[in-house]
Amino acid sequence: MCTSHDHNQGEAAQAGAARRSFLRATALLGAAAGAGVALPAVAEAATASTDSWRPDAHSRRFTLAVMPDTQYLFDGPSIDKAPVEASLRYLLQHGKDENIVFLSHLGDLTQNGAKDEFAAISEAFGLLDRKGVGYSVLAGNHDVRSSTDDQRGSTPYLDAFGPQRFKGKRTFGGASDDGYNTYHLFRAAGREWLVLALDWRLSAKGYTWAKDVLAKHPRTPVILTTHELVVEDDQLSAYGQQLWDQLVEEHDQIFLTLNGHYWPAGRATRKNAAGNEVHLHLTNYQNRYFGGAAMIRLYRFDLDRGVIDVETVSPWILGRAGKGLNELERQEIELSGDADRFSVEIDFEKRFAGFAPVPARPARPASKVVIPGTVAYWRFDSHEDSGDATPVGGTVRDLSGRGNDLTLVTVGGGALTWSSDHHPDQPGHGSLEFQGFKSPLKGAYLRTVDGAPLNSATFKDGYTIEAFYRLPADWDPDHHAWSGIVSRTGTGGAAGKTADDPDEPLATLSLSNDREPQWAMRPLNQQGIATNWGQETPLETWWHLAVVNDGKYTTLYVEGCPVVRNPKAAATGITSVGLPWLLGGYEYAGKIDQILHGRLGDVRIVSRALPVTAFMNH
């Protein structure tokens, strides 16, 4: 919700800046190719930042970079490390604005596994070593003898990229005794994530080691990287099936696997033993121009949107734009096919709930919610039969101590019942179940007692009105629209304010036929009705509303986020004729006209404008 990550809006803008500049560059390239004009010099991809690598561990947006098979760039006498270095420099330069947390190479670093080949690519990866960037590599079938498993002993691969290379790195977790399997830990979105980098072929010892790593990190989500697993869309290789059967299927922590080896790029999705989806991705571009030109995949995680946006780019080709690109380079600068640019939707909290459930937020005592300026606070979690649909009776006390207690009003034999259901960020763990119906009018609602101080309050210096609500699946606009969540009785006509409709109540926070929250009221400083509109709010979801007036202007917030339709005209105070406020009811022409159909949680009214950080859902 907006209240917990307003600061990330700036991060999102920064994270998108590099991508937008990249796309602008590619658009210019396309235009230039058709128009015959000079190409822009885009040398930024070849220039690394001088800052040390420091990803934001708390931002809920972060990027995992992936580099597949680079073998054709390191093939005997044909060695060209420039494309790899361009990709690594791109990561260094955009590490901050993309919040790049880690890089995973998927194996087949070299073509022949020779010392001189590894010396060249090792030198290239020194760019990351010097900046302290977290990364992993693993052996593909071209890096070692393909007939061997991780018990093969010493190799040039192990000399260049064995555990000794990673010791001392913040992200290095450890390695198997043979050195061919490693695990790495990084922090992002306020939690720990694990990259399990596995050899081309796991031995029995390798499987045992991997399972032990998972057992020692039981609450950590895992990205498994290996050279071979998916062979094409919706199909695993024989060895990939073995990995699935012996490791992935029984370990719910593994939610994403990444592999190279085969081409073209492809994806598969499988359900694990816990019934959860595992996303298995094949990425490899060695069959394309310049051996893939060290293309990189950018996996942009966005935990608020519940999505991983995937993009495939070639920084090396981008960096060559100023020199003039050939026809194949223009095609390869960014891949936009369905297998190369796509989004994966994941409800991360739900997906990880089986091994790392998010603890429910505990209830907060009323004393923590009754802040300075509170004139009324009602919550519904103290009833001993809460959750048993027991009818409400008697008085609901105002916990602010200001005497704005509520009494029950029934219409047509309707009832109001207690419920233990509540918004996850609500202070009180309870709500009231309203069962209003339009025609014939039926239901029950609450009203402030006669003589309550709230009835005559005009809030000329500002106010904040907050409420939590949830509408059920059977909510029907024909029977339930325009019910009030919180409203003030008394009409505009009775107050001598006859502009607009004089029979409308003096203030109401209501829900339209499209389930849009609307704050409509008559300020002290004008005759007409001032209105704030929110967007449609889906059914069977808890929502938090806040109406904030600073003594001059009014802003409506949904889940701590300001809505678009907030009037710019000044609106001071709330007109009163000394009549009660209603919870769950709406009056028209001085008579009850509609009753809420849904659940209502904590409601608080404060006689001053509150910042978002002081809302009840913060």
PDB file of all heavy atoms in Angstrom, residues 204-231:
ATOM      1  N   ALA A 204      25.542 -37.581  -6.681  1.00  0.00           N
ATOM      2  CA  ALA A 204      24.755 -37.845  -5.473  1.00  0.00           C
ATOM      3  C   ALA A 204      25.196 -36.909  -4.354  1.00  0.00           C
ATOM      4  O   ALA A 204      24.375 -36.387  -3.595  1.00  0.00           O
ATOM      5  CB  ALA A 204      24.916 -39.305  -5.057  1.00  0.00           C
ATOM      6  N   LYS A 205      26.515 -36.665  -4.275  1.00  0.00           N
ATOM      7  CA  LYS A 205      27.021 -35.732  -3.265  1.00  0.00           C
ATOM      8  C   LYS A 205      26.506 -34.318  -3.530  1.00  0.00           C
ATOM      9  O   LYS A 205      26.207 -33.565  -2.597  1.00  0.00           O
ATOM     10  CB  LYS A 205      28.554 -35.749  -3.263  1.00  0.00           C
ATOM     11  CG  LYS A 205      29.174 -37.011  -2.680  1.00  0.00           C
ATOM     12  CD  LYS A 205      30.693 -36.888  -2.643  1.00  0.00           C
ATOM     13  CE  LYS A 205      31.328 -38.128  -2.015  1.00  0.00           C
ATOM     14  NZ  LYS A 205      32.812 -38.021  -1.980  1.00  0.00           N
ATOM     15  N   GLY A 206      26.407 -33.951  -4.806  1.00  0.00           N
ATOM     16  CA  GLY A 206      25.907 -32.629  -5.160  1.00  0.00           C
ATOM     17  C   GLY A 206      24.462 -32.435  -4.727  1.00  0.00           C
ATOM     18  O   GLY A 206      24.094 -31.377  -4.192  1.00  0.00           O
ATOM     19  N   TYR A 207      23.646 -33.461  -4.955  1.00  0.00           N
ATOM     20  CA  TYR A 207      22.251 -33.377  -4.515  1.00  0.00           C
ATOM     21  C   TYR A 207      22.162 -33.251  -2.996  1.00  0.00           C
ATOM     22  O   TYR A 207      21.376 -32.459  -2.463  1.00  0.00           O
ATOM     23  CB  TYR A 207      21.469 -34.605  -4.983  1.00  0.00           C
ATOM     24  CG  TYR A 207      20.967 -34.509  -6.400  1.00  0.00           C
ATOM     25  CD1 TYR A 207      21.516 -35.294  -7.409  1.00  0.00           C
ATOM     26  CD2 TYR A 207      19.944 -33.624  -6.729  1.00  0.00           C
ATOM     27  CE1 TYR A 207      21.053 -35.216  -8.717  1.00  0.00           C
ATOM     28  CE2 TYR A 207      19.466 -33.543  -8.041  1.00  0.00           C
ATOM     29  CZ  TYR A 207      20.022 -34.339  -9.022  1.00  0.00           C
ATOM     30  OH  TYR A 207      19.574 -34.253 -10.318  1.00  0.00           O
ATOM     31  N   THR A 208      22.970 -34.025  -2.301  1.00  0.00           N
ATOM     32  CA  THR A 208      22.956 -33.970  -0.831  1.00  0.00           C
ATOM     33  C   THR A 208      23.352 -32.585  -0.345  1.00  0.00           C
ATOM     34  O   THR A 208      22.740 -32.024   0.567  1.00  0.00           O
ATOM     35  CB  THR A 208      23.920 -35.017  -0.258  1.00  0.00           C
ATOM     36  OG1 THR A 208      23.464 -36.329  -0.653  1.00  0.00           O
ATOM     37  CG2 THR A 208      23.966 -34.942   1.258  1.00  0.00           C
ATOM     38  N   TRP A 209      24.385 -32.025  -0.985  1.00  0.00           N
ATOM     39  CA  TRP A 209      24.833 -30.680  -0.592  1.00  0.00           C
ATOM     40  C   TRP A 209      23.727 -29.650  -0.824  1.00  0.00           C
ATOM     41  O   TRP A 209      23.447 -28.811   0.034  1.00  0.00           O
ATOM     42  CB  TRP A 209      26.081 -30.303  -1.387  1.00  0.00           C
ATOM     43  CG  TRP A 209      26.524 -28.888  -1.162  1.00  0.00           C
ATOM     44  CD1 TRP A 209      27.317 -28.411  -0.167  1.00  0.00           C
ATOM     45  CD2 TRP A 209      26.155 -27.752  -1.965  1.00  0.00           C
ATOM     46  NE1 TRP A 209      27.469 -27.049  -0.283  1.00  0.00           N
ATOM     47  CE2 TRP A 209      26.768 -26.612  -1.373  1.00  0.00           C
ATOM     48  CE3 TRP A 209      25.375 -27.579  -3.110  1.00  0.00           C
ATOM     49  CZ2 TRP A 209      26.622 -25.340  -1.900  1.00  0.00           C
ATOM     50  CZ3 TRP A 209      25.238 -26.305  -3.632  1.00  0.00           C
ATOM     51  CH2 TRP A 209      25.854 -25.200  -3.026  1.00  0.00           C
ATOM     52  N   ALA A 210      23.095 -29.700  -2.010  1.00  0.00           N
ATOM     53  CA  ALA A 210      22.048 -28.728  -2.340  1.00  0.00           C
ATOM     54  C   ALA A 210      20.891 -28.819  -1.356  1.00  0.00           C
ATOM     55  O   ALA A 210      20.360 -27.801  -0.897  1.00  0.00           O
ATOM     56  CB  ALA A 210      21.558 -28.958  -3.768  1.00  0.00           C
ATOM     57  N   LYS A 211      20.480 -30.034  -1.016  1.00  0.00           N
ATOM     58  CA  LYS A 211      19.379 -30.201  -0.066  1.00  0.00           C
ATOM     59  C   LYS A 211      19.759 -29.680   1.313  1.00  0.00           C
ATOM     60  O   LYS A 211      18.920 -29.124   2.037  1.00  0.00           O
ATOM     61  CB  LYS A 211      18.982 -31.671   0.013  1.00  0.00           C
ATOM     62  CG  LYS A 211      18.345 -32.191  -1.271  1.00  0.00           C
ATOM     63  CD  LYS A 211      18.080 -33.695  -1.208  1.00  0.00           C
ATOM     64  CE  LYS A 211      17.493 -34.198  -2.517  1.00  0.00           C
ATOM     65  NZ  LYS A 211      17.270 -35.667  -2.504  1.00  0.00           N
ATOM     66  N   ASP A 212      21.016 -29.838   1.655  1.00  0.00           N
ATOM     67  CA  ASP A 212      21.475 -29.328   2.953  1.00  0.00           C
ATOM     68  C   ASP A 212      21.446 -27.802   2.985  1.00  0.00           C
ATOM     69  O   ASP A 212      21.064 -27.206   3.995  1.00  0.00           O
ATOM     70  CB  ASP A 212      22.900 -29.841   3.220  1.00  0.00           C
ATOM     71  CG  ASP A 212      23.400 -29.433   4.602  1.00  0.00           C
ATOM     72  OD1 ASP A 212      22.767 -29.835   5.601  1.00  0.00           O
ATOM     73  OD2 ASP A 212      24.407 -28.705   4.686  1.00  0.00           O
ATOM     74  N   VAL A 213      21.834 -27.164   1.877  1.00  0.00           N
ATOM     75  CA  VAL A 213      21.769 -25.697   1.800  1.00  0.00           C
ATOM     76  C   VAL A 213      20.327 -25.225   1.986  1.00  0.00           C
ATOM     77  O   VAL A 213      20.050 -24.290   2.741  1.00  0.00           O
ATOM     78  CB  VAL A 213      22.326 -25.195   0.453  1.00  0.00           C
ATOM     79  CG1 VAL A 213      22.006 -23.714   0.261  1.00  0.00           C
ATOM     80  CG2 VAL A 213      23.824 -25.422   0.374  1.00  0.00           C
ATOM     81  N   LEU A 214      19.389 -25.876   1.318  1.00  0.00           N
ATOM     82  CA  LEU A 214      17.988 -25.490   1.435  1.00  0.00           C
ATOM     83  C   LEU A 214      17.478 -25.706   2.861  1.00  0.00           C
ATOM     84  O   LEU A 214      16.722 -24.884   3.390  1.00  0.00           O
ATOM     85  CB  LEU A 214      17.143 -26.277   0.433  1.00  0.00           C
ATOM     86  CG  LEU A 214      17.461 -26.031  -1.047  1.00  0.00           C
ATOM     87  CD1 LEU A 214      16.639 -26.947  -1.935  1.00  0.00           C
ATOM     88  CD2 LEU A 214      17.218 -24.583  -1.424  1.00  0.00           C
ATOM     89  N   ALA A 215      17.912 -26.816   3.467  1.00  0.00           N
ATOM     90  CA  ALA A 215      17.464 -27.107   4.836  1.00  0.00           C
ATOM     91  C   ALA A 215      17.985 -26.071   5.828  1.00  0.00           C
ATOM     92  O   ALA A 215      17.322 -25.778   6.828  1.00  0.00           O
ATOM     93  CB  ALA A 215      17.930 -28.505   5.244  1.00  0.00           C
ATOM     94  N   LYS A 216      19.153 -25.513   5.556  1.00  0.00           N
ATOM     95  CA  LYS A 216      19.730 -24.518   6.461  1.00  0.00           C
ATOM     96  C   LYS A 216      19.163 -23.115   6.228  1.00  0.00           C
ATOM     97  O   LYS A 216      19.443 -22.200   7.006  1.00  0.00           O
ATOM     98  CB  LYS A 216      21.253 -24.494   6.289  1.00  0.00           C
ATOM     99  CG  LYS A 216      21.930 -25.741   6.858  1.00  0.00           C
ATOM    100  CD  LYS A 216      23.436 -25.706   6.640  1.00  0.00           C
ATOM    101  CE  LYS A 216      24.098 -26.940   7.259  1.00  0.00           C
ATOM    102  NZ  LYS A 216      25.565 -26.966   7.005  1.00  0.00           N
ATOM    103  N   HIS A 217      18.402 -22.951   5.158  1.00  0.00           N
ATOM    104  CA  HIS A 217      17.768 -21.658   4.863  1.00  0.00           C
ATOM    105  C   HIS A 217      16.282 -21.897   4.573  1.00  0.00           C
ATOM    106  O   HIS A 217      15.787 -21.622   3.477  1.00  0.00           O
ATOM    107  CB  HIS A 217      18.444 -20.976   3.667  1.00  0.00           C
ATOM    108  CG  HIS A 217      19.893 -20.698   3.879  1.00  0.00           C
ATOM    109  ND1 HIS A 217      20.882 -21.654   3.675  1.00  0.00           N
ATOM    110  CD2 HIS A 217      20.548 -19.582   4.303  1.00  0.00           C
ATOM    111  CE1 HIS A 217      22.066 -21.121   3.949  1.00  0.00           C
ATOM    112  NE2 HIS A 217      21.893 -19.876   4.338  1.00  0.00           N
ATOM    113  N   PRO A 218      15.558 -22.419   5.552  1.00  0.00           N
ATOM    114  CA  PRO A 218      14.192 -22.898   5.304  1.00  0.00           C
ATOM    115  C   PRO A 218      13.179 -21.810   4.961  1.00  0.00           C
ATOM    116  O   PRO A 218      12.129 -22.119   4.402  1.00  0.00           O
ATOM    117  CB  PRO A 218      13.824 -23.591   6.619  1.00  0.00           C
ATOM    118  CG  PRO A 218      14.665 -22.900   7.653  1.00  0.00           C
ATOM    119  CD  PRO A 218      15.958 -22.599   6.964  1.00  0.00           C
ATOM    120  N   ARG A 219      13.472 -20.558   5.287  1.00  0.00           N
ATOM    121  CA  ARG A 219      12.507 -19.479   5.050  1.00  0.00           C
ATOM    122  C   ARG A 219      12.939 -18.542   3.914  1.00  0.00           C
ATOM    123  O   ARG A 219      12.357 -17.478   3.732  1.00  0.00           O
ATOM    124  CB  ARG A 219      12.314 -18.668   6.341  1.00  0.00           C
ATOM    125  CG  ARG A 219      11.677 -19.461   7.469  1.00  0.00           C
ATOM    126  CD  ARG A 219      11.675 -18.677   8.774  1.00  0.00           C
ATOM    127  NE  ARG A 219      10.975 -17.420   8.649  1.00  0.00           N
ATOM    128  CZ  ARG A 219       9.663 -17.270   8.754  1.00  0.00           C
ATOM    129  NH1 ARG A 219       8.900 -18.337   8.989  1.00  0.00           N
ATOM    130  NH2 ARG A 219       9.093 -16.081   8.634  1.00  0.00           N
ATOM    131  N   THR A 220      13.932 -18.961   3.151  1.00  0.00           N
ATOM    132  CA  THR A 220      14.496 -18.094   2.109  1.00  0.00           C
ATOM    133  C   THR A 220      14.026 -18.524   0.725  1.00  0.00           C
ATOM    134  O   THR A 220      14.200 -19.680   0.347  1.00  0.00           O
ATOM    135  CB  THR A 220      16.032 -18.145   2.156  1.00  0.00           C
ATOM    136  OG1 THR A 220      16.477 -17.817   3.471  1.00  0.00           O
ATOM    137  CG2 THR A 220      16.638 -17.168   1.162  1.00  0.00           C
ATOM    138  N   PRO A 221      13.415 -17.631  -0.050  1.00  0.00           N
ATOM    139  CA  PRO A 221      13.059 -17.973  -1.431  1.00  0.00           C
ATOM    140  C   PRO A 221      14.310 -18.204  -2.263  1.00  0.00           C
ATOM    141  O   PRO A 221      15.323 -17.520  -2.087  1.00  0.00           O
ATOM    142  CB  PRO A 221      12.269 -16.756  -1.912  1.00  0.00           C
ATOM    143  CG  PRO A 221      12.601 -15.651  -0.976  1.00  0.00           C
ATOM    144  CD  PRO A 221      12.975 -16.270   0.328  1.00  0.00           C
ATOM    145  N   VAL A 222      14.230 -19.162  -3.193  1.00  0.00           N
ATOM    146  CA  VAL A 222      15.414 -19.637  -3.905  1.00  0.00           C
ATOM    147  C   VAL A 222      15.219 -19.524  -5.417  1.00  0.00           C
ATOM    148  O   VAL A 222      14.181 -19.924  -5.960  1.00  0.00           O
ATOM    149  CB  VAL A 222      15.727 -21.094  -3.526  1.00  0.00           C
ATOM    150  CG1 VAL A 222      16.876 -21.647  -4.365  1.00  0.00           C
ATOM    151  CG2 VAL A 222      16.057 -21.196  -2.031  1.00  0.00           C
ATOM    152  N   ILE A 223      16.249 -19.006  -6.085  1.00  0.00           N
ATOM    153  CA  ILE A 223      16.347 -19.006  -7.542  1.00  0.00           C
ATOM    154  C   ILE A 223      17.422 -20.016  -7.897  1.00  0.00           C
ATOM    155  O   ILE A 223      18.585 -19.847  -7.518  1.00  0.00           O
ATOM    156  CB  ILE A 223      16.712 -17.617  -8.074  1.00  0.00           C
ATOM    157  CG1 ILE A 223      15.643 -16.591  -7.660  1.00  0.00           C
ATOM    158  CG2 ILE A 223      16.888 -17.654  -9.590  1.00  0.00           C
ATOM    159  CD1 ILE A 223      16.112 -15.163  -7.755  1.00  0.00           C
ATOM    160  N   LEU A 224      17.048 -21.075  -8.578  1.00  0.00           N
ATOM    161  CA  LEU A 224      17.998 -22.132  -8.941  1.00  0.00           C
ATOM    162  C   LEU A 224      18.534 -21.845 -10.333  1.00  0.00           C
ATOM    163  O   LEU A 224      17.774 -21.651 -11.277  1.00  0.00           O
ATOM    164  CB  LEU A 224      17.314 -23.496  -8.891  1.00  0.00           C
ATOM    165  CG  LEU A 224      18.192 -24.728  -9.144  1.00  0.00           C
ATOM    166  CD1 LEU A 224      17.637 -25.941  -8.385  1.00  0.00           C
ATOM    167  CD2 LEU A 224      18.288 -25.078 -10.631  1.00  0.00           C
ATOM    168  N   THR A 225      19.864 -21.808 -10.456  1.00  0.00           N
ATOM    169  CA  THR A 225      20.495 -21.630 -11.758  1.00  0.00           C
ATOM    170  C   THR A 225      21.319 -22.864 -12.079  1.00  0.00           C
ATOM    171  O   THR A 225      21.994 -23.423 -11.216  1.00  0.00           O
ATOM    172  CB  THR A 225      21.394 -20.375 -11.785  1.00  0.00           C
ATOM    173  OG1 THR A 225      22.452 -20.518 -10.827  1.00  0.00           O
ATOM    174  CG2 THR A 225      20.594 -19.130 -11.447  1.00  0.00           C
ATOM    175  N   THR A 226      21.256 -23.282 -13.322  1.00  0.00           N
ATOM    176  CA  THR A 226      22.034 -24.427 -13.788  1.00  0.00           C
ATOM    177  C   THR A 226      22.134 -24.316 -15.294  1.00  0.00           C
ATOM    178  O   THR A 226      21.476 -23.470 -15.914  1.00  0.00           O
ATOM    179  CB  THR A 226      21.387 -25.752 -13.354  1.00  0.00           C
ATOM    180  OG1 THR A 226      22.291 -26.832 -13.610  1.00  0.00           O
ATOM    181  CG2 THR A 226      20.076 -26.002 -14.071  1.00  0.00           C
ATOM    182  N   HIS A 227      22.944 -25.144 -15.909  1.00  0.00           N
ATOM    183  CA  HIS A 227      23.149 -24.998 -17.354  1.00  0.00           C
ATOM    184  C   HIS A 227      22.038 -25.653 -18.163  1.00  0.00           C
ATOM    185  O   HIS A 227      21.621 -25.132 -19.199  1.00  0.00           O
ATOM    186  CB  HIS A 227      24.509 -25.588 -17.745  1.00  0.00           C
ATOM    187  CG  HIS A 227      24.878 -25.291 -19.164  1.00  0.00           C
ATOM    188  ND1 HIS A 227      24.960 -24.010 -19.662  1.00  0.00           N
ATOM    189  CD2 HIS A 227      25.171 -26.124 -20.219  1.00  0.00           C
ATOM    190  CE1 HIS A 227      25.312 -24.048 -20.944  1.00  0.00           C
ATOM    191  NE2 HIS A 227      25.434 -25.317 -21.305  1.00  0.00           N
ATOM    192  N   GLU A 228      21.535 -26.781 -17.711  1.00  0.00           N
ATOM    193  CA  GLU A 228      20.533 -27.514 -18.476  1.00  0.00           C
ATOM    194  C   GLU A 228      19.334 -27.861 -17.606  1.00  0.00           C
ATOM    195  O   GLU A 228      19.481 -28.439 -16.528  1.00  0.00           O
ATOM    196  CB  GLU A 228      21.113 -28.808 -19.062  1.00  0.00           C
ATOM    197  CG  GLU A 228      20.080 -29.626 -19.820  1.00  0.00           C
ATOM    198  CD  GLU A 228      20.609 -30.975 -20.287  1.00  0.00           C
ATOM    199  OE1 GLU A 228      21.845 -31.134 -20.370  1.00  0.00           O
ATOM    200  OE2 GLU A 228      19.787 -31.871 -20.556  1.00  0.00           O
ATOM    201  N   LEU A 229      18.139 -27.510 -18.096  1.00  0.00           N
ATOM    202  CA  LEU A 229      16.904 -27.897 -17.398  1.00  0.00           C
ATOM    203  C   LEU A 229      15.742 -27.871 -18.394  1.00  0.00           C
ATOM    204  O   LEU A 229      15.233 -28.910 -18.784  1.00  0.00           O
ATOM    205  CB  LEU A 229      16.643 -26.968 -16.210  1.00  0.00           C
ATOM    206  CG  LEU A 229      15.777 -27.529 -15.080  1.00  0.00           C
ATOM    207  CD1 LEU A 229      15.984 -26.737 -13.802  1.00  0.00           C
ATOM    208  CD2 LEU A 229      14.310 -27.588 -15.428  1.00  0.00           C
ATOM    209  N   VAL A 230      15.326 -26.685 -18.845  1.00  0.00           N
ATOM    210  CA  VAL A 230      14.287 -26.577 -19.870  1.00  0.00           C
ATOM    211  C   VAL A 230      14.938 -26.748 -21.238  1.00  0.00           C
ATOM    212  O   VAL A 230      15.990 -26.158 -21.519  1.00  0.00           O
ATOM    213  CB  VAL A 230      13.575 -25.207 -19.789  1.00  0.00           C
ATOM    214  CG1 VAL A 230      12.537 -25.068 -20.902  1.00  0.00           C
ATOM    215  CG2 VAL A 230      12.917 -25.028 -18.426  1.00  0.00           C
ATOM    216  N   VAL A 231      14.304 -27.525 -22.114  1.00  0.00           N
ATOM    217  CA  VAL A 231      14.846 -27.750 -23.450  1.00  0.00           C
ATOM    218  C   VAL A 231      14.085 -26.942 -24.493  1.00  0.00           C
ATOM    219  O   VAL A 231      14.653 -26.532 -25.506  1.00  0.00           O
ATOM    220  CB  VAL A 231      14.838 -29.252 -23.799  1.00  0.00           C
ATOM    221  CG1 VAL A 231      13.423 -29.831 -23.817  1.00  0.00           C
ATOM    222  CG2 VAL A 231      15.530 -29.513 -25.128  1.00  0.00           C
TER     223      VAL A 231
END
